[in-house]
Amino acid sequence: MDHFSYKNGELYAEDLPLAKIAEEVGTPFYCYSTATLERHYKVFSGAFEGVNSLVCYAVKANSNLAVIKTLARLGAGADVVSEGELRRALEAGIPPSKIVFSGVGKRPWEMEFGLNVGIHQFNVESEPEAKVLSEVATRMGKTAKIAFRVNPDVDAKTHAKISTGKAENKFGVPWQDVSRIYADAAKLPGIEIQGVDVHIGSQLTDLEPFDNAFQRVRELVLQLRREGHNITQVDLGGGLGIPYDGTIPPTPTSYGNVALNAMGNMGVQLIFEPGRLIVGNAGVLVSEVIYVKEGAERKFVILDAAMNDLIRPAMYDGYHHIDTIKEPSADTVIEPADVVGPVCETGDTFAKARDLPRVDPGDLVAFRSAGAYGAVMASTYNTRPLVPEVLVNGDQYAIVRERPSLEAILDLDTVPSWLDDD
Ligand code: LLP
């Protein structure tokens, strides 16, 4: 459930008409709803009430400081994958003791930063990484608390580009080598093994792959304990999907049951890394119709938002529901159209032959479920400035990231002296 709904004939974010924000902020812009963020966090964490658990919001899904801070206030921890994300989490007020550091390519200075602030756990993805972390920690006279991310070789049944738990994927250590890798790592100075980590993919709409992976992890924890390791932490990753196109994913409660069924009685702290589930449906991208063009074969609705602002349709064939800001009435004409942006490539297509209420230039539309992997994946392709982000809370809103000026974008480049016009 989210807090974007029609009232008085137009689409609102909580108690504010999106058209009013558009008038003041300009389009395109991302708009997030505090009430929705809070609700999703509470529903997810509620599935583990009374369980020794830590919900580490996956900052990569939406790293706006105001979004992280909203979740930090509810007690969220953070899953980060770079020093930049780690700094964001800390600045938003998440204590280091609730932060896990994931990612396949951590650099020594990132490890050093994490060790200095004292994060809860490094999720280590390879033996070379464990060795570098050991060297960095030893040099600093510190101990890095680690879990290895294991690759359980299960099919997450999601889009190939966001499936991570098959043996062919770059993530985690190979299942058949886990035993040896733990034994070797236990001998490394500056390293304390405390857990096991798994993350099989994103936008999963079926519980079975989770169940398979979690059961395998359960067996693994028992085996590692038999081999003498003190496993106190099990990180089960993120990945629970959201309803983009009408497919209803499992509820957090049923996901929780699968997790607890596998791991509930193992005497470990359970760590979860949800991203999309928390922020996905808490955000929309609002855009204005620039032109409506009758092509030779079809109608094109040309928007002022483009693939550089929301890349999911181009990159993952992602479906985003499109609402007109004006509420359609019973006699509104519904017509199929290709919804596209102004960027100069055919991939800049948000939807093909989508049935939409008839729109005219100047009308506003909202892409739903755009809170996760939207603004964070934006670029300035075609020298289009990153779009602003707005956070609504009841009947108030704040711009939580400004639209940069074109001057600021041009200023990022420098021209070498040999090109000076004397
Ligand atoms: N933990 C790890 C280690 C991850 O790699 C990810 C996502 C998460 C947690 C959070 O997963 P979530 O709960 O959000 O599914 N840009 C793509 C999604 C990429 C996901 C990357 N990793 C998209 O727009 O669909």
Side-chain angles (χ1 to χ4, degrees):
M1 202 205 102
D2 61 59
H3 292 258
F4 297 95
S5 56
Y6 286 113
K7 291 179 210 171
N8 313 317
E10 54 178 326
L11 193 61
Y12 273 57
E14 303 191 16
D15 302 328
L16 277 179
L18 283 163
K20 178 177 170 336
I21 304 176
E23 211 177 291
E24 291 169 13
V25 175
T27 55
F29 68 96
Y30 277 97
C31 177
Y32 311 129
S33 149
T34 300
T36 315
L37 286 170
E38 291 181 343
R39 185 190 143 77
H40 289 172
Y41 179 81
K42 285 180 187 160
V43 168
F44 189 87
S45 56
F48 303 101
E49 212 168 315
V51 175
N52 180 11
S53 58
L54 179 58
V55 178
C56 293
Y57 165 61
V59 169
K60 65 169 77 69
N62 185 321
S63 58
N64 189 285
L65 279 177
V67 168
I68 307 174
K69 189 153 193 179
T70 301
L71 300 171
R73 289 227 171 143
L74 300 176
D79 164 46
V80 302
V81 291
S82 66
E83 182 180 331
E85 284 191 356
L86 176 49
R87 285 177 185 256
R88 282 180 182 274
L90 293 170
E91 188 158 332
I94 297 189
S97 59
K98 289 186 178 176
I99 298 178
V100 297
F101 197 153
S102 304
V104 290
K106 302 178 198 77
R107 305 310 311 266
W109 54 88
E110 296 185 301
M111 297 170 173
E112 195 173 316
F113 190 86
L115 284 164
N116 260 329
V117 299
I119 61 168
H120 178 63
Q121 177 166 294
F122 288 89
N123 288 335
V124 175
E125 299 228 12
S126 64
E127 291 184 274
E129 184 193 334
K131 289 200 179 102
V132 173
L133 183 56
S134 161
E135 279 159 24
V136 173
T138 308
R139 180 164 37 80
M140 293 171 70
K142 302 223 180 233
T143 301
K145 293 180 288 173
I146 72 157
F148 275 102
R149 175 167 173 182
V150 295
N151 186 322
D153 194 20
V154 299
D155 185 354
K157 297 187 198 150
T158 182
H159 192 281
K161 286 187 185 160
I162 52 175
S163 182
T164 56
K166 290 281 287 170
E168 72 208 41
N169 300 133
K170 70 179 175 184
F171 299 97
V173 296
W175 192 261
Q176 68 275 14
D177 300 337
V178 170
S179 210
R180 182 191 56 74
I181 289 173
Y182 269 77
D184 287 351
K187 294 183 207 129
L188 290 174
I191 294 277
E192 181 190 322
I193 294 173
Q194 64 177 15
V196 176
D197 167 43
V198 70
H199 171 78
I200 57 172
S202 193
Q203 187 51 21
L204 273 71
T205 51
D206 186 353
L207 287 176
E208 194 198 314
F210 283 124
D211 197 20
N212 290 342
F214 298 171
Q215 291 295 343
R216 294 204 84 182
V217 170
R218 176 191 172 85
E219 293 309 313
L220 182 64
V221 170
L222 294 171
Q223 178 193 327
L224 290 171
R225 282 183 173 158
R226 283 195 300 273
E227 290 167 2
H229 302 285
N230 184 20
I231 305 297
T232 61
Q233 310 290 316
V234 172
D235 184 336
L236 295 177
L240 186 54
I242 62 171
Y244 282 106
D245 62 356
T247 310
I248 304 293
T251 61
T253 312
S254 48
Y255 164 84
N257 287 340
V258 168
L260 293 175
N261 180 34
M263 302 300 310
N265 58 357
M266 295 289 279
V268 291
Q269 166 157 270
L270 288 181
I271 301 172
F272 297 94
E273 303 172 350
R276 192 190 311 265
L277 183 90
I278 309 289
V279 287
N281 286 336
V284 296
L285 171 64
V286 178
S287 177
E288 184 178 316
V289 177
I290 309 177
Y291 300 115
V292 177
K293 164 163 136 177
E294 295 296 341
E297 292 180 1
R298 51 183 78 203
K299 185 170 86 167
F300 295 99
V301 172
I302 303 170
L303 301 179
D304 65 355
M307 64 188 291
N308 69 298
D309 305 310
L310 177 65
I311 201 156
R312 301 197 67 265
M315 193 147 172
Y316 317 102
D317 305 310
Y319 178 98
H320 288 266
H321 185 73
I322 302 170
D323 272 331
T324 49
I325 298 290
K326 214 184 304 155
E327 184 172 16
S329 57
D331 54 3
T332 302
V333 181
I334 306 286
E335 292 172 344
D338 283 14
V339 182
V340 301
V343 160
C344 305
E345 52 183 282
T346 302
D348 186 21
T349 298
F350 291 115
K352 282 200 175 132
R354 179 76 63 87
D355 279 337
L356 277 186
R358 206 197 143 81
V359 287
D360 292 307
D363 285 349
L364 298 174
V365 298
F367 289 92
R368 305 296 297 267
S369 312
Y373 308 110
V376 282
M377 294 185 77
S379 76
T380 56
Y381 187 35
N382 280 208
T383 308
R384 294 166 46 87
L386 296 180
V387 306
E389 295 172 87
V390 163
L391 180 65
V392 168
N393 185 14
D395 61 1
Q396 49 176 346
Y397 79 89
I399 296 175
V400 294
R401 191 182 69 194
E402 296 274 357
R403 191 191 309 276
S405 66
L406 287 172
E407 288 73 22
I409 295 178
L410 264 62
D411 274 352
L412 291 172
D413 294 5
T414 45
V415 176
S417 57
W418 67 82
L419 290 175
D420 277 352
D421 308 309
D422 31 34

Coordinates of all heavy atoms in Angstrom, one line a residue, residues 58 60-61 79 81 102-103 125 149 161-162 164 171 197 199 201-204 237-241 244 273-277 312 316 372-374 377, ligand 1:
A58 N 19.1 -1.4 2.1 CA 20.1 -1.4 1.0 C 20.1 0.0 0.4 O 19.2 0.3 -0.4 CB 19.7 -2.5 0.0
K60 N 21.7 1.4 -1.8 CA 21.8 1.6 -3.3 C 20.5 1.8 -3.9 O 20.4 2.4 -5.0 CB 22.5 0.3 -3.9 CG 21.7 -0.9 -3.8 CD 22.3 -2.0 -4.6 CE 23.5 -2.7 -4.0 NZ 23.2 -3.5 -2.8
A61 N 19.4 1.4 -3.3 CA 18.1 1.5 -3.9 C 17.7 3.0 -4.0 O 17.0 3.4 -5.0 CB 17.0 0.7 -3.2
D79 N 22.8 -1.4 4.6 CA 23.7 -2.2 3.7 C 24.3 -1.3 2.7 O 23.6 -0.7 1.9 CB 22.9 -3.3 3.1 CG 23.6 -4.0 1.9 OD1 24.8 -4.3 2.1 OD2 23.1 -4.2 0.8
V81 N 27.6 -0.4 -0.2 CA 28.5 -1.0 -1.1 C 29.7 -0.1 -1.6 O 30.4 -0.4 -2.6 CB 27.8 -1.6 -2.4 CG1 26.9 -2.7 -2.0 CG2 27.0 -0.5 -3.1
S102 N 28.8 -4.5 1.8 CA 28.8 -5.6 0.8 C 29.5 -5.1 -0.5 O 30.0 -3.9 -0.5 CB 27.3 -5.9 0.4 OG 26.6 -6.2 1.5
G103 N 29.6 -5.9 -1.5 CA 30.1 -5.5 -2.8 C 31.4 -6.4 -3.2 O 32.2 -6.7 -2.3
E125 N 33.5 -11.2 -0.5 CA 33.0 -11.9 -1.7 C 34.0 -12.8 -2.3 O 33.7 -13.5 -3.3 CB 32.4 -10.9 -2.7 CG 31.2 -10.1 -2.1 CD 30.0 -10.1 -3.0 OE1 30.0 -10.9 -4.0 OE2 29.1 -9.3 -2.7
R149 N 30.2 -14.0 1.7 CA 28.9 -14.1 0.9 C 29.1 -15.4 0.1 O 30.1 -15.6 -0.7 CB 28.8 -13.0 -0.1 CG 27.6 -13.1 -1.0 CD 27.2 -11.9 -1.7 NE 26.2 -12.0 -2.7 CZ 25.8 -11.0 -3.5 NH1 26.3 -9.8 -3.3 NH2 24.8 -11.2 -4.4
K161 N 19.7 -9.7 -15.5 CA 20.7 -8.7 -15.1 C 20.6 -8.5 -13.6 O 21.5 -7.8 -13.1 CB 20.4 -7.4 -15.8 CG 20.8 -7.4 -17.3 CD 20.7 -6.1 -17.9 CE 21.1 -6.2 -19.4 NZ 20.6 -5.1 -20.2
I162 N 19.6 -9.0 -12.9 CA 19.6 -8.8 -11.4 C 19.5 -10.1 -10.7 O 19.1 -10.1 -9.5 CB 18.5 -7.8 -11.1 CG1 17.1 -8.2 -11.6 CG2 18.8 -6.4 -11.5 CD1 15.9 -7.4 -11.2
T164 N 21.6 -13.1 -9.0 CA 23.0 -13.1 -8.5 C 23.4 -14.4 -7.8 O 24.6 -14.5 -7.4 CB 23.2 -11.9 -7.5 OG1 22.2 -12.1 -6.4 CG2 23.0 -10.6 -8.1
F171 N 29.1 -13.2 -8.1 CA 28.9 -12.9 -6.7 C 29.3 -14.1 -5.8 O 29.0 -15.2 -6.1 CB 27.5 -12.4 -6.4 CG 27.1 -11.2 -7.1 CD1 26.4 -11.2 -8.3 CD2 27.5 -10.0 -6.6 CE1 26.1 -10.1 -9.0 CE2 27.2 -8.8 -7.3 CZ 26.5 -8.9 -8.5
D197 N 26.7 -15.0 4.6 CA 25.9 -14.0 3.9 C 25.4 -14.6 2.6 O 26.2 -15.3 1.9 CB 26.7 -12.7 3.7 CG 26.1 -11.8 2.7 OD1 24.9 -11.5 2.8 OD2 26.8 -11.2 1.9
H199 N 22.8 -13.5 -1.0 CA 21.8 -12.6 -1.6 C 21.7 -13.1 -3.1 O 22.6 -13.1 -3.8 CB 22.3 -11.1 -1.7 CG 21.5 -10.2 -2.5 ND1 20.3 -9.7 -2.1 CD2 21.7 -9.8 -3.8 CE1 19.8 -9.0 -3.0 NE2 20.6 -9.0 -4.1
G201 N 19.4 -12.3 -5.5 CA 18.9 -11.5 -6.6 C 17.8 -10.5 -6.2 O 17.5 -10.4 -5.0
S202 N 17.3 -9.8 -7.1 CA 16.4 -8.7 -6.8 C 15.1 -8.9 -7.6 O 15.0 -9.5 -8.6 CB 17.1 -7.4 -7.2 OG 16.4 -6.3 -6.7
Q203 N 14.0 -8.3 -7.0 CA 12.7 -8.4 -7.6 C 12.2 -9.8 -7.8 O 11.8 -10.3 -8.8 CB 12.6 -7.6 -9.0 CG 11.3 -7.5 -9.6 CD 10.2 -7.0 -8.7 OE1 10.4 -6.4 -7.7 NE2 8.9 -7.2 -9.0
L204 N 12.4 -10.6 -6.7 CA 11.9 -12.0 -6.7 C 10.4 -11.9 -6.3 O 10.0 -11.2 -5.4 CB 12.6 -12.8 -5.6 CG 13.9 -13.5 -6.1 CD1 15.0 -12.5 -6.3 CD2 14.4 -14.5 -5.1
G237 N 20.3 -11.2 2.9 CA 20.3 -10.3 1.7 C 18.9 -9.6 1.6 O 18.1 -9.6 2.5
G238 N 18.7 -9.1 0.4 CA 17.4 -8.4 0.1 C 16.7 -9.2 -1.0 O 16.8 -10.5 -1.0
G239 N 16.0 -8.5 -1.8 CA 15.5 -9.2 -3.0 C 14.0 -9.4 -3.1 O 13.5 -9.7 -4.2
L240 N 13.2 -9.2 -2.0 CA 11.8 -9.4 -2.1 C 11.2 -8.3 -3.1 O 11.4 -7.2 -2.9 CB 11.1 -9.3 -0.8 CG 9.6 -9.7 -0.7 CD1 9.3 -11.0 -1.3 CD2 9.2 -9.7 0.8
G241 N 10.4 -8.8 -4.1 CA 9.9 -8.0 -5.1 C 8.7 -7.1 -4.7 O 8.1 -7.3 -3.6
Y244 N 4.9 -4.3 -9.6 CA 5.0 -3.2 -10.6 C 3.8 -3.3 -11.6 O 3.3 -2.3 -12.0 CB 6.3 -3.4 -11.5 CG 7.6 -3.0 -10.8 CD1 8.5 -3.9 -10.3 CD2 7.9 -1.6 -10.7 CE1 9.7 -3.5 -9.7 CE2 9.1 -1.2 -10.1 CZ 10.0 -2.2 -9.6 OH 11.1 -1.8 -9.1
E273 N 18.6 -7.3 4.1 CA 19.1 -6.1 3.3 C 18.0 -5.7 2.3 O 18.3 -5.6 1.1 CB 20.4 -6.4 2.6 CG 21.5 -6.9 3.5 CD 22.7 -7.4 2.7 OE1 22.6 -7.6 1.4 OE2 23.7 -7.6 3.3
P274 N 16.8 -5.3 2.7 CA 15.8 -4.9 1.7 C 16.0 -3.5 1.2 O 16.4 -2.6 1.9 CB 14.5 -5.0 2.5 CG 14.9 -4.6 3.9 CD 16.3 -5.2 4.1
G275 N 15.9 -3.4 -0.1 CA 16.0 -2.1 -0.7 C 14.7 -1.7 -1.4 O 13.9 -0.9 -0.9
R276 N 14.4 -2.3 -2.5 CA 13.3 -2.0 -3.4 C 12.0 -2.1 -2.6 O 11.1 -1.2 -2.7 CB 13.2 -3.1 -4.5 CG 12.2 -2.7 -5.6 CD 12.0 -3.9 -6.5 NE 13.3 -4.5 -7.0 CZ 13.9 -4.2 -8.2 NH1 13.4 -3.3 -8.9 NH2 15.0 -4.8 -8.5
L277 N 11.8 -3.1 -1.7 CA 10.6 -3.3 -1.0 C 10.3 -2.0 -0.1 O 9.1 -1.7 0.2 CB 10.7 -4.5 -0.1 CG 9.5 -4.8 0.7 CD1 8.6 -5.7 -0.1 CD2 9.8 -5.4 2.1
R312 N 15.2 2.0 -15.8 CA 14.7 0.7 -15.7 C 14.0 0.1 -16.9 O 14.3 -1.1 -17.3 CB 13.8 0.5 -14.4 CG 14.5 0.9 -13.1 CD 13.8 0.4 -11.9 NE 13.9 -1.0 -11.8 CZ 13.0 -1.8 -12.2 NH1 11.8 -1.3 -12.7 NH2 13.1 -3.1 -12.1
Y316 N 16.2 -3.0 -18.0 CA 15.7 -4.3 -17.6 C 14.3 -4.6 -18.1 O 13.6 -5.5 -17.6 CB 15.6 -4.4 -16.0 CG 16.7 -3.8 -15.3 CD1 16.6 -2.5 -14.7 CD2 17.9 -4.5 -15.1 CE1 17.6 -2.0 -14.0 CE2 18.9 -4.0 -14.4 CZ 18.8 -2.7 -13.8 OH 19.8 -2.2 -13.1
A372 N 12.7 3.2 -6.1 CA 13.9 2.4 -6.0 C 14.6 2.3 -7.4 O 13.9 2.0 -8.4 CB 13.6 1.0 -5.5
Y373 N 15.9 2.5 -7.4 CA 16.7 2.3 -8.6 C 16.2 3.3 -9.7 O 16.3 3.0 -10.9 CB 16.7 0.9 -9.1 CG 17.1 -0.1 -8.0 CD1 16.2 -1.0 -7.5 CD2 18.4 -0.1 -7.5 CE1 16.6 -1.9 -6.4 CE2 18.8 -0.9 -6.5 CZ 17.9 -1.8 -6.0 OH 18.3 -2.7 -5.0
G374 N 15.7 4.5 -9.2 CA 15.3 5.5 -10.1 C 16.4 6.6 -10.1 O 17.3 6.6 -10.9
M377 N 20.1 5.8 -10.3 CA 20.7 5.3 -11.5 C 20.7 6.4 -12.6 O 21.0 6.1 -13.8 CB 20.0 4.0 -12.0 CG 20.2 2.9 -11.0 SD 19.5 1.3 -11.6 CE 20.7 0.9 -12.8
Ligands
LLP1 N1 21.9 -6.7 -0.9 C1 22.7 -6.8 -1.9 C2 24.0 -7.5 -1.7 C3 22.4 -6.4 -3.2 O1 23.2 -6.5 -4.2 C4 21.1 -5.8 -3.4 C5 20.7 -5.3 -4.7 C6 20.2 -5.7 -2.3 C7 20.7 -6.2 -1.0 C8 18.9 -5.0 -2.3 O2 18.0 -5.8 -3.1 P1 16.5 -5.4 -3.2 O3 15.9 -5.7 -1.9 O4 16.4 -3.9 -3.6 O5 16.0 -6.3 -4.3 N2 18.9 -1.8 -10.5 C9 18.1 -3.0 -10.5 C10 18.3 -3.7 -9.2 C11 19.7 -4.0 -8.8 C12 19.8 -4.7 -7.5 C13 21.2 -4.8 -7.0 N3 21.4 -5.4 -5.7 C14 16.7 -2.7 -10.8 O6 16.4 -1.5 -11.1 O7 15.9 -3.6 -10.9

